[in-house]
Short mmCIF file of all heavy atoms in Angstrom, two decimals:
data_model
loop_
_atom_site.label_atom_id
_atom_site.label_comp_id
_atom_site.label_asym_id
_atom_site.label_seq_id
_atom_site.Cartn_x
_atom_site.Cartn_y
_atom_site.Cartn_z
N LEU A 1 50.81 178.97 -34.92
CA LEU A 1 49.72 179.45 -34.06
C LEU A 1 49.83 180.97 -33.85
O LEU A 1 50.10 181.46 -32.76
CB LEU A 1 49.75 178.72 -32.72
CG LEU A 1 49.42 177.24 -32.77
CD1 LEU A 1 49.61 176.59 -31.41
CD2 LEU A 1 48.00 177.02 -33.26
N ILE A 2 49.58 181.70 -34.94
CA ILE A 2 49.66 183.16 -34.90
C ILE A 2 48.43 183.74 -35.59
O ILE A 2 48.06 183.31 -36.67
CB ILE A 2 50.93 183.66 -35.61
CG1 ILE A 2 52.18 183.08 -34.95
CG2 ILE A 2 50.98 185.18 -35.62
CD1 ILE A 2 53.45 183.33 -35.72
N LEU A 3 47.81 184.70 -34.91
CA LEU A 3 46.67 185.43 -35.47
C LEU A 3 46.85 186.92 -35.19
O LEU A 3 47.46 187.28 -34.18
CB LEU A 3 45.36 185.00 -34.78
CG LEU A 3 44.72 183.71 -35.21
CD1 LEU A 3 43.51 183.41 -34.33
CD2 LEU A 3 44.30 183.79 -36.67
N PRO A 4 46.29 187.76 -36.04
CA PRO A 4 46.31 189.18 -35.70
C PRO A 4 45.30 189.46 -34.59
O PRO A 4 44.24 188.84 -34.53
CB PRO A 4 45.89 189.87 -37.01
CG PRO A 4 45.12 188.84 -37.76
CD PRO A 4 45.70 187.51 -37.35
N THR A 5 45.64 190.37 -33.70
CA THR A 5 44.71 190.77 -32.66
C THR A 5 43.54 191.53 -33.28
O THR A 5 43.69 192.12 -34.36
CB THR A 5 45.40 191.64 -31.59
OG1 THR A 5 44.47 191.91 -30.55
CG2 THR A 5 45.91 192.94 -32.17
N ILE A 6 42.40 191.50 -32.61
CA ILE A 6 41.30 192.37 -33.04
C ILE A 6 41.06 193.47 -32.00
O ILE A 6 40.07 194.18 -32.07
CB ILE A 6 40.00 191.58 -33.33
CG1 ILE A 6 39.47 190.88 -32.08
CG2 ILE A 6 40.22 190.60 -34.48
CD1 ILE A 6 38.06 190.33 -32.24
N THR A 7 42.00 193.62 -31.06
CA THR A 7 41.82 194.63 -30.02
C THR A 7 41.89 196.05 -30.57
O THR A 7 41.40 196.98 -29.93
CB THR A 7 42.84 194.47 -28.88
OG1 THR A 7 44.17 194.50 -29.43
CG2 THR A 7 42.63 193.16 -28.14
N ASP A 8 42.49 196.24 -31.74
CA ASP A 8 42.49 197.56 -32.34
C ASP A 8 41.09 197.94 -32.84
O ASP A 8 40.74 199.11 -32.91
CB ASP A 8 43.51 197.66 -33.48
CG ASP A 8 43.27 196.63 -34.57
OD1 ASP A 8 42.96 195.46 -34.24
OD2 ASP A 8 43.40 196.98 -35.75
N LEU A 9 40.28 196.93 -33.17
CA LEU A 9 38.90 197.16 -33.58
C LEU A 9 37.95 197.13 -32.39
O LEU A 9 36.96 197.85 -32.34
CB LEU A 9 38.45 196.08 -34.58
CG LEU A 9 39.22 196.01 -35.89
CD1 LEU A 9 38.83 194.76 -36.66
CD2 LEU A 9 38.96 197.26 -36.71
N MET A 10 38.26 196.26 -31.44
CA MET A 10 37.39 196.02 -30.29
C MET A 10 38.26 195.78 -29.06
O MET A 10 38.70 194.66 -28.82
CB MET A 10 36.51 194.80 -30.59
CG MET A 10 35.59 194.40 -29.48
SD MET A 10 34.55 193.02 -29.99
CE MET A 10 33.25 193.89 -30.84
N PRO A 11 38.52 196.83 -28.29
CA PRO A 11 39.40 196.68 -27.12
C PRO A 11 38.94 195.59 -26.15
O PRO A 11 39.77 194.96 -25.50
CB PRO A 11 39.35 198.06 -26.46
CG PRO A 11 39.02 199.00 -27.57
CD PRO A 11 38.11 198.23 -28.48
N GLY A 12 37.66 195.34 -26.06
CA GLY A 12 37.13 194.33 -25.15
C GLY A 12 37.54 192.91 -25.48
O GLY A 12 37.35 192.01 -24.67
N ALA A 13 38.13 192.68 -26.65
CA ALA A 13 38.58 191.34 -27.03
C ALA A 13 39.86 190.94 -26.31
O ALA A 13 40.25 189.77 -26.34
CB ALA A 13 38.78 191.26 -28.54
N GLU A 14 40.48 191.88 -25.62
CA GLU A 14 41.76 191.60 -24.95
C GLU A 14 41.66 190.43 -23.98
O GLU A 14 42.51 189.53 -23.96
CB GLU A 14 42.28 192.83 -24.22
CG GLU A 14 43.58 192.56 -23.49
CD GLU A 14 44.06 193.73 -22.66
OE1 GLU A 14 44.03 194.86 -23.16
OE2 GLU A 14 44.48 193.49 -21.52
N THR A 15 40.63 190.41 -23.16
CA THR A 15 40.48 189.34 -22.17
C THR A 15 40.41 187.98 -22.84
O THR A 15 41.08 187.03 -22.42
CB THR A 15 39.23 189.59 -21.30
OG1 THR A 15 39.35 190.87 -20.69
CG2 THR A 15 39.08 188.53 -20.24
N ASN A 16 39.60 187.87 -23.89
CA ASN A 16 39.47 186.60 -24.60
C ASN A 16 40.79 186.18 -25.24
O ASN A 16 41.18 185.01 -25.17
CB ASN A 16 38.40 186.69 -25.69
CG ASN A 16 37.03 186.90 -25.12
OD1 ASN A 16 36.55 188.03 -25.03
ND2 ASN A 16 36.37 185.83 -24.72
N GLU A 17 41.48 187.12 -25.87
CA GLU A 17 42.74 186.79 -26.52
C GLU A 17 43.81 186.37 -25.51
O GLU A 17 44.56 185.43 -25.76
CB GLU A 17 43.23 187.97 -27.36
CG GLU A 17 42.39 188.19 -28.59
CD GLU A 17 42.85 189.31 -29.50
OE1 GLU A 17 43.84 190.01 -29.15
OE2 GLU A 17 42.25 189.49 -30.55
N ARG A 18 43.85 187.03 -24.38
CA ARG A 18 44.81 186.64 -23.35
C ARG A 18 44.51 185.23 -22.82
O ARG A 18 45.43 184.44 -22.57
CB ARG A 18 44.80 187.65 -22.20
CG ARG A 18 45.47 188.96 -22.57
CD ARG A 18 45.35 190.01 -21.50
NE ARG A 18 45.92 189.59 -20.23
CZ ARG A 18 45.65 190.20 -19.08
NH1 ARG A 18 44.84 191.26 -19.04
NH2 ARG A 18 46.20 189.77 -17.97
N GLU A 19 43.24 184.91 -22.64
CA GLU A 19 42.87 183.58 -22.18
C GLU A 19 43.30 182.52 -23.20
O GLU A 19 43.91 181.51 -22.84
CB GLU A 19 41.36 183.50 -21.95
CG GLU A 19 40.90 182.11 -21.54
CD GLU A 19 39.39 182.01 -21.39
OE1 GLU A 19 38.65 182.74 -22.08
OE2 GLU A 19 38.96 181.18 -20.58
N ILE A 20 42.99 182.74 -24.47
CA ILE A 20 43.35 181.78 -25.52
C ILE A 20 44.87 181.66 -25.62
O ILE A 20 45.40 180.56 -25.81
CB ILE A 20 42.75 182.23 -26.88
CG1 ILE A 20 41.21 182.21 -26.82
CG2 ILE A 20 43.26 181.38 -28.02
CD1 ILE A 20 40.61 180.86 -26.54
N ARG A 21 45.57 182.75 -25.48
CA ARG A 21 47.03 182.74 -25.55
C ARG A 21 47.63 181.84 -24.46
O ARG A 21 48.49 181.01 -24.73
CB ARG A 21 47.56 184.17 -25.39
CG ARG A 21 49.06 184.28 -25.47
CD ARG A 21 49.49 185.75 -25.33
NE ARG A 21 50.92 185.84 -25.45
CZ ARG A 21 51.77 185.65 -24.44
NH1 ARG A 21 51.31 185.39 -23.23
NH2 ARG A 21 53.07 185.73 -24.63
N GLU A 22 47.16 181.99 -23.22
CA GLU A 22 47.76 181.20 -22.14
C GLU A 22 47.25 179.77 -22.09
O GLU A 22 47.96 178.89 -21.64
CB GLU A 22 47.61 181.90 -20.80
CG GLU A 22 46.23 181.95 -20.23
CD GLU A 22 46.18 182.72 -18.91
OE1 GLU A 22 46.67 182.20 -17.90
OE2 GLU A 22 45.65 183.84 -18.91
N MET A 23 46.05 179.51 -22.55
CA MET A 23 45.49 178.15 -22.46
C MET A 23 45.79 177.28 -23.68
O MET A 23 45.88 176.07 -23.57
CB MET A 23 43.97 178.22 -22.26
CG MET A 23 43.55 178.91 -20.98
SD MET A 23 44.16 178.04 -19.52
CE MET A 23 43.44 179.01 -18.23
N LEU A 24 45.94 177.91 -24.88
CA LEU A 24 46.19 177.14 -26.10
C LEU A 24 47.52 177.47 -26.78
O LEU A 24 47.90 176.78 -27.71
CB LEU A 24 45.05 177.36 -27.10
CG LEU A 24 43.73 176.68 -26.75
CD1 LEU A 24 42.61 177.17 -27.66
CD2 LEU A 24 43.86 175.17 -26.84
N GLY A 25 48.18 178.55 -26.38
CA GLY A 25 49.47 178.88 -26.97
C GLY A 25 49.39 179.65 -28.27
O GLY A 25 50.36 179.67 -29.03
N ILE A 26 48.29 180.31 -28.53
CA ILE A 26 48.14 181.08 -29.76
C ILE A 26 48.65 182.50 -29.50
O ILE A 26 48.26 183.14 -28.54
CB ILE A 26 46.68 181.08 -30.23
CG1 ILE A 26 46.30 179.66 -30.61
CG2 ILE A 26 46.48 182.05 -31.40
CD1 ILE A 26 44.85 179.43 -30.83
N GLU A 27 49.54 182.95 -30.36
CA GLU A 27 50.08 184.31 -30.25
C GLU A 27 49.20 185.25 -31.07
O GLU A 27 48.85 184.95 -32.20
CB GLU A 27 51.52 184.38 -30.76
CG GLU A 27 52.52 183.79 -29.81
CD GLU A 27 52.58 184.51 -28.47
OE1 GLU A 27 52.41 185.75 -28.42
OE2 GLU A 27 52.78 183.82 -27.45
N PHE A 28 48.88 186.39 -30.49
CA PHE A 28 48.09 187.41 -31.17
C PHE A 28 49.00 188.58 -31.48
O PHE A 28 49.42 189.32 -30.57
CB PHE A 28 46.90 187.84 -30.30
CG PHE A 28 45.87 186.77 -30.14
CD1 PHE A 28 45.95 185.87 -29.09
CD2 PHE A 28 44.85 186.62 -31.07
CE1 PHE A 28 45.01 184.86 -28.95
CE2 PHE A 28 43.91 185.61 -30.94
CZ PHE A 28 43.99 184.73 -29.87
N GLU A 29 49.32 188.74 -32.77
CA GLU A 29 50.19 189.84 -33.18
C GLU A 29 49.50 191.16 -32.89
O GLU A 29 48.36 191.37 -33.28
CB GLU A 29 50.50 189.74 -34.68
CG GLU A 29 51.40 188.60 -35.03
CD GLU A 29 51.68 188.52 -36.52
OE1 GLU A 29 50.83 188.94 -37.32
OE2 GLU A 29 52.76 188.02 -36.86
N GLY A 30 50.20 192.03 -32.18
CA GLY A 30 49.65 193.34 -31.85
C GLY A 30 49.00 193.41 -30.48
O GLY A 30 48.64 194.49 -30.02
N LEU A 31 48.85 192.27 -29.81
CA LEU A 31 48.28 192.27 -28.46
C LEU A 31 49.31 192.87 -27.51
O LEU A 31 50.43 192.37 -27.40
CB LEU A 31 47.92 190.84 -28.02
CG LEU A 31 47.32 190.68 -26.62
CD1 LEU A 31 45.99 191.41 -26.52
CD2 LEU A 31 47.16 189.20 -26.29
#
């Protein structure tokens, strides 16, 4: 359960990635 973050392209994706990380356990490399 690892994906690259897209916050380097779109900083606003941080909130969504943090939610998915804590609710589903997916790690975002670079977050």
Side-chain angles (χ1 to χ4, degrees):
L1 293 175
I2 301 170
L3 281 175
T5 184
I6 63 168
T7 56
D8 58 318
L9 298 170
M10 178 177 276
E14 178 184 315
T15 302
N16 295 96
E17 289 183 356
R18 286 174 59 196
E19 177 184 29
I20 296 299
R21 181 179 181 276
E22 70 182 288
M23 298 298 183
L24 287 169
I26 295 169
E27 285 298 325
F28 291 90
E29 289 180 331
L31 179 63

